[in-house]
Amino acid sequence: MCDSHKSMNLNSGSVLIISGLIGLMTGWLDIAFLNQAGAVIADIFIRLLKLVSLPIIFFSLLATLSGMGGTSDVKKLGGKVLKYTLMTTLLAATLALGLYLLFDPARTSIMLTSPIEGAVETVNYWHYLLSLIPENFIAPFYNNNVMGVLFLALVLSAATLSLRKDHKQTLNQLFESLFAAVMKMTGFFLRLMPLAVWAFVNLFVQDVQNQETLQGLALYLCCVLMANLIQAGVILPALLKAKGLSPLSSFKAMLPALTVAFFSKSSSAALPSAIDCAEQRMGINGKVARFSMPLCITVNMNACAAYILITVLFVCQSNGIQFSGIELFSWILIATLAAIGNAGVPMGCYMLSSAFLAAMGVDMKLMVLILPFYAFIDMLESAINVWSDSCVTAMVNKELKSSPALLEENME
């Protein structure tokens, strides 16, 4: 989820800001042994992040999808919820790509490293599609093939959902336990975050020679904010309107839950309030609200999909990596799947975006500059995710109103 409530107290915003300010000071002083120490610390932290990056992506998606219920749930009420979840998340990622191409923030951002050799070669699309299907189970992890890892997670999740109930539950518990173990490892590594922030900022000061990076960062932040606000203020209300529902009345009804999500930076913390608002203030059937809202809290991450797509493309292209047209559009699907599987990741979308970049071997100095702004972005994204959850729930409830018998059957 796009929530920071599981982040460690050690990595609070104030500590990271102080670390960044110290990094700015030591970078400006340009002391040789501090520069060398910063390089070593940054390298160690990136190695640790790469160690857990692909397992985070793999097990987060497996743990989420394999626990989504049996085929009967998916075909009935669960199917309706997932239909709108996928639709709204895909729309969010598509909007994000459109805004990114429009603003092109990486064009004004200084190249932090030399362009990756061969990155702009003509792509053989058939070879590219074949590369998405790994030759063996280990290859995508060994080769840092993110798309291959996503493919394995999807296929294994589908196979798990088709098994007998006891086998499915056993595997789901295994995947959740492995994901928890990987996240525990990540938690240990994140204790180094303040030191890593100092090291990255110290090194970054050595690289920045003009204001172009700050201009690119400002355009990047505009892309993220506009993608979120358009999704929340235009696309979701338009979907409600198409179903004959009042966007303004729905927003007013959900306002208490959205407030909780915004200030707590946690859609999970807002769940009790969201269910209550959906039932008591929006007039949604209690069975639908109690089924749809928890499911949406887990898999419906509109804001996260937009953030991941814009952030990964911005950092990659700022480091000289170029994408073909098919690769750019493939990130719509990648960001959507990543958002769906982004359950329980510390620092929310920021951490998962970092995992993608680490798995791709991209320099992540820009992620340190983004970090101070992420606290506000996280607040906004958490509220938008809950707003999207309520919109999906309202649309599902509207569909089921015409089939009360189906509703009773689904919820038995």
Side-chain angles (χ1 to χ4, degrees):
M1 300 176 192
C2 294
D3 305 332
S4 334
H5 67 290
K6 294 185 180 180
S7 301
M8 300 188 179
N9 292 332
L10 181 62
N11 296 332
S12 63
S14 58
V15 173
L16 295 178
I17 290 173
I18 292 172
S19 299
L21 291 175
I22 295 174
L24 288 173
M25 181 180 67
T26 57
W28 178 74
L29 292 174
D30 195 17
I31 302 174
F33 81 91
L34 287 180
N35 293 340
Q36 185 176 7
V40 172
I41 293 170
D43 185 55
I44 291 174
F45 187 74
I46 289 176
R47 286 173 179 268
L48 293 174
L49 194 58
K50 286 182 177 180
L51 177 65
V52 296
S53 60
L54 285 180
I56 284 176
I57 298 168
F58 183 66
F59 288 120
S60 66
L61 201 59
L62 271 178
T64 300
L65 296 182
S66 65
M68 285 169 53
T71 54
S72 60
D73 290 335
V74 174
K75 286 180 179 178
K76 297 176 184 177
L77 181 57
K80 292 183 180 294
V81 173
L82 294 178
K83 175 182 70 174
Y84 287 112
T85 291
L86 285 172
M87 179 176 68
T88 55
T89 309
L90 282 169
L91 285 172
T94 303
L95 171 65
L97 179 60
L99 288 172
Y100 181 84
L101 294 176
L102 177 64
F103 281 90
D104 194 11
R107 174 173 296 181
T108 58
S109 181
I110 187 173
M111 295 296 182
L112 300 182
T113 62
S114 300
I116 292 182
E117 192 172 333
V120 296
E121 292 180 358
T122 302
V123 177
N124 184 317
Y125 292 143
W126 177 243
H127 177 74
Y128 174 75
L129 292 175
L130 285 179
S131 69
L132 305 184
I133 303 176
E135 295 179 351
N136 59 69
F137 204 91
I138 304 299
F141 295 93
Y142 181 77
N143 297 323
N144 284 327
N145 183 352
V146 178
M147 286 297 291
V149 169
L150 290 173
F151 176 81
L152 284 178
L154 285 175
V155 172
L156 190 52
S157 296
T160 301
L161 287 173
S162 66
L163 296 176
R164 283 185 355 219
K165 185 176 181 180
D166 55 337
H167 289 170
K168 183 186 69 175
Q169 289 177 342
T170 299
L171 282 176
N172 178 245
Q173 290 173 358
L174 173 63
F175 296 146
E176 287 185 346
S177 298
L178 288 170
F179 179 62
V182 172
M183 294 315 302
K184 182 64 70 173
M185 290 175 56
T186 306
F188 294 152
F189 300 157
L190 286 178
R191 292 181 182 275
L192 297 175
M193 181 65 82
L195 191 59
V197 167
W198 165 77
F200 280 126
V201 173
N202 181 81
L203 294 176
F204 185 79
V205 171
Q206 310 303 314
D207 293 332
V208 177
Q209 303 296 325
N210 53 46
Q211 298 299 312
E212 292 181 353
T213 297
L214 297 180
Q215 295 173 11
L217 184 62
L219 285 176
Y220 155 80
L221 292 172
C222 284
C223 284
V224 172
L225 293 176
M226 286 189 64
N228 284 325
L229 294 176
I230 294 174
Q231 178 74 10
V234 178
I235 293 180
L236 292 174
L239 293 175
L240 288 177
K241 198 74 174 177
K243 284 290 182 180
L245 300 167
S246 170
L248 184 58
S249 298
S250 299
F251 179 80
K252 288 180 178 178
M254 291 301 300
L255 192 56
L258 300 181
T259 303
V260 172
F262 183 83
F263 287 106
S264 68
K265 294 185 285 188
S266 169
S267 52
S268 295
L271 180 58
S273 177
I275 293 176
D276 182 69
C277 288
E279 289 187 43
Q280 305 300 325
R281 295 166 64 91
M282 290 184 72
I284 292 176
N285 184 291
K287 294 179 179 179
V288 175
R290 288 190 291 270
F291 181 90
S292 176
M293 279 302 213
L295 181 58
C296 285
I297 288 292
T298 304
V299 299
N300 189 42
M301 301 289 162
N302 291 186
C304 191
Y307 179 86
I308 290 172
L309 185 145
I310 292 173
T311 300
V312 172
L313 293 184
F314 172 65
V315 176
C316 284
Q317 292 193 332
S318 294
N319 281 282
I321 301 174
Q322 300 301 319
F323 296 97
S324 66
I326 192 172
E327 289 172 324
L328 285 172
F329 281 98
S330 71
W331 272 101
I332 294 176
L333 179 60
I334 297 172
T336 298
L337 294 176
I340 289 173
N342 186 23
V345 178
M347 297 177 66
C349 305
Y350 182 91
M351 186 60 192
L352 193 54
S353 299
S354 298
F356 272 114
L357 293 167
M360 296 164 65
V362 180
D363 190 307
M364 294 187 295
K365 292 176 184 177
L366 270 177
M367 291 300 289
V368 180
L369 291 187
I370 293 170
L371 187 58
F373 302 97
Y374 185 72
F376 174 74
I377 293 173
D378 196 23
M379 296 169 76
L380 183 63
E381 288 178 342
S382 297
I384 290 174
N385 284 336
V386 173
W387 169 232
S388 178
D389 297 343
S390 66
C391 292
V392 168
T393 302
M395 290 187 288
V396 170
N397 185 72
K398 180 73 173 182
E399 281 194 10
L400 293 176
K401 272 186 176 180
S402 59
S403 306
L406 178 61
L407 176 60
E408 294 299 324
E409 179 186 357
N410 286 338
M411 301 311 299
E412 285 176 356

